[in-house]
Amino acid sequence: MNDDQVKKGVDEVFEEAFEISPDRLKPESKIFEDLGLDSLDIVDLIVALQKKFKVQIREDERVRKIRTLDDIYQFIIALKNAGGFSQS
Amino acid sequence: MQADFHSRDSGRCFLKKLLLNLIFYPLFVAVTAGMFGFFLFPLLLIRPLIGPRRIVRIVRALILLYGSIVIRVLPFPFVRIRYKDYEKEKKRGACVYVCNHRSSSDGFLMANLNVEAVQVVNNWPFRIPIIGWVARVAGYLSVRTMAFEAFMKESCRLLGEGVSIIAFPEGSRSTDRVVNQFNGAVFRVAQAARVPVVPVCLSGNQFIPPKGTGILNPGLIKVHKLPALEWEFYKDWTPFKLKNVVREIIQSEVDTLEAV
């Protein structure tokens, strides 16, 4: 899975789990202010990302620093590069 | 000639504003102290005789009365309230009322709903002398200090007892016509308790008083209780979708009411 596929997969999570239209999903979109997620939605987001990419996401410093959609792309890409994962 | 009209008009406006603030605040302090001294304090003294549950219900009824006096009587005729209920004929049980947040007067304006309810508030209202203490007795929920699980449990218990929940999920006041993003906690409560969600739209009180000041301006406040979203209607939605649909409904009403 290359970086573009990861980004596409993250976008799909937002589209499926939150019904956010693709035109709103820009790398610079702020997760709270622009996309309207709150702290409880973040839990749902993490569950959906774990399911999509079959990874374990633990709350650490990197997760707390996430602000934009691009931050999520980079976080998942870093997870992939660190340990690798498979997509069903 | 025109400049003369303008200066006379602004002079009249200033005089109204001055009168409103000079009359309102002393009366507000007097009514608050009076409600506490004549009703609430004696009630607490006889608490062991009539039981905690009845006490809480009476306190909530007194809050309704107090709120109505503060918003309808004290600022009259400088501030007027126009309340519109889109479901006038319908009798409802406990609901989750969701309201946009415009001013520090929002909480008082909820007296218009005329239901036994508990408000979800930040910490600061609890710090106001008398009002904060009464809010605690009435069981108001502090969203900042409670863990979500505790908030959910307590809210569901209240709804189960027939007590409605009133929330301002924007968290902080919007400074313009745009309704801020919503926090979804109260929508998750509504889904879990299977109760209707009732959008409430406030308009006009963003200047009564404006953010960052306690100075009241004369004006008209509109409180619109919009049609409820029944649980059967939204039960298959995610909490994210529910909160955004309700936000859009309120935003649309604000746009209509404040269209230039």
Side-chain angles (χ1 to χ4, degrees):
Chain A
M1 183 182 259
N2 62 32
D3 291 359
D4 284 340
Q5 285 170 319
V6 170
K7 290 177 186 177
K8 193 167 171 278
V10 172
D11 285 355
E12 281 168 7
V13 166
F14 276 92
E15 288 166 40
E16 287 158 16
F18 299 103
E19 296 180 41
I20 295 176
S21 58
D23 56 300
R24 289 179 62 201
L25 298 172
K26 296 169 184 146
E28 67 275 17
S29 299
K30 290 180 182 142
I31 293 162
F32 295 103
E33 293 91 336
D34 299 331
L35 301 179
L37 272 71
D38 58 47
S39 53
L40 297 167
D41 296 322
I42 294 297
V43 177
D44 294 341
L45 174 66
I46 289 173
V47 171
L49 288 170
Q50 289 186 150
K51 202 172 158 193
K52 181 87 178 174
F53 296 104
K54 299 199 185 307
V55 286
Q56 274 297 310
I57 299 174
R58 292 177 204 287
E59 200 189 332
D60 61 18
E61 198 55 36
R62 287 180 304 170
V63 173
R64 277 193 287 272
K65 279 184 180 167
I66 287 174
R67 295 284 177 276
T68 65
L69 188 57
D70 193 50
D71 292 339
I72 299 180
Y73 294 153
Q74 300 313 321
F75 175 71
I76 301 291
I77 289 167
L79 278 184
K80 179 196 76 168
N81 292 339
F85 52 77
S86 62
Q87 194 178 15
S88 58
Chain B
M1 186 78 166
Q2 206 173 10
D4 192 35
F5 271 129
H6 276 302
S7 69
R8 212 180 296 164
D9 213 31
S10 64
R12 210 175 292 157
C13 278
F14 176 76
L15 194 65
K16 274 186 181 177
K17 192 170 165 176
L18 186 70
L19 271 174
L20 167 62
N21 286 277
L22 285 177
I23 294 169
F24 178 84
Y25 280 110
L27 286 176
F28 176 68
V29 172
V31 167
T32 305
M35 285 294 282
F36 180 75
F38 290 113
F39 296 107
L40 292 163
F41 186 63
L43 257 179
L44 292 175
L45 288 180
I46 58 164
R47 190 176 178 166
L49 300 175
I50 53 177
R53 172 72 187 126
R54 275 185 76 189
I55 283 282
V56 171
R57 292 196 75 160
I58 295 169
V59 169
R60 286 182 195 138
L62 285 171
I63 288 175
L64 271 181
L65 174 68
Y66 170 72
S68 300
I69 293 170
V70 168
I71 57 164
R72 287 196 177 270
V73 181
L74 305 190
F76 187 82
F78 305 105
V79 176
R80 290 165 193 264
I81 315 285
R82 191 180 294 158
Y83 175 63
K84 190 173 176 184
D85 183 351
Y86 282 73
E87 295 185 322
K88 222 174 190 172
E89 310 302 319
K90 209 161 186 175
K91 268 269 175 222
R92 287 198 171 278
C95 301
V96 168
Y97 292 91
V98 174
C99 188
N100 58 327
H101 195 9
R102 305 303 291 271
S103 154
S104 53
S105 54
D106 293 354
F108 296 101
L109 288 165
M110 293 302 105
N112 282 290
L113 299 174
N114 200 24
V115 290
E116 185 184 0
V118 155
Q119 293 191 23
V120 180
V121 292
N122 275 322
N123 273 344
W124 69 265
F126 286 120
R127 291 199 288 265
I128 303 171
I130 302 179
I131 291 175
W133 183 79
V134 174
R136 268 181 222 284
V137 174
Y140 279 32
L141 303 165
S142 169
V143 75
R144 296 272 179 224
T145 53
M146 293 175 90
F148 174 68
E149 291 73 19
F151 173 74
M152 170 74 96
K153 195 176 167 191
E154 180 61 8
S155 301
C156 287
R157 186 190 69 78
L158 287 162
L159 288 162
E161 285 180 3
V163 180
S164 292
I165 305 283
I166 298 173
F168 303 91
E170 283 173 274
S172 60
R173 289 169 237 172
S174 52
T175 49
D176 51 24
R177 263 170 45 182
V178 178
V179 178
N180 293 326
Q181 298 288 358
F182 279 180
N183 181 287
V186 80
F187 298 92
R188 289 172 192 259
V189 166
Q191 285 184 316
R194 302 181 171 199
V195 295
V197 176
V198 185
V200 180
C201 178
L202 295 178
S203 175
N205 70 325
Q206 60 270 30
F207 309 113
I208 311 172
K211 192 171 183 175
T213 163
I215 297 169
L216 303 172
N217 289 293
L220 174 70
I221 299 173
K222 293 171 186 166
V223 183
H224 284 194
K225 183 181 153 206
L226 304 169
L229 279 82
E230 303 291 345
W231 178 78
E232 291 78 12
F233 180 68
Y234 71 70
K235 67 179 178 183
D236 297 324
W237 296 0
T238 61
F240 184 81
K241 181 176 178 181
L242 177 59
K243 76 173 181 179
N244 282 302
V245 168
V246 173
R247 182 175 164 267
E248 278 164 24
I249 291 169
I250 295 174
Q251 181 68 70
S252 159
E253 191 71 5
V254 171
D255 291 343
T256 307
L257 290 173
E258 296 179 15
V260 183

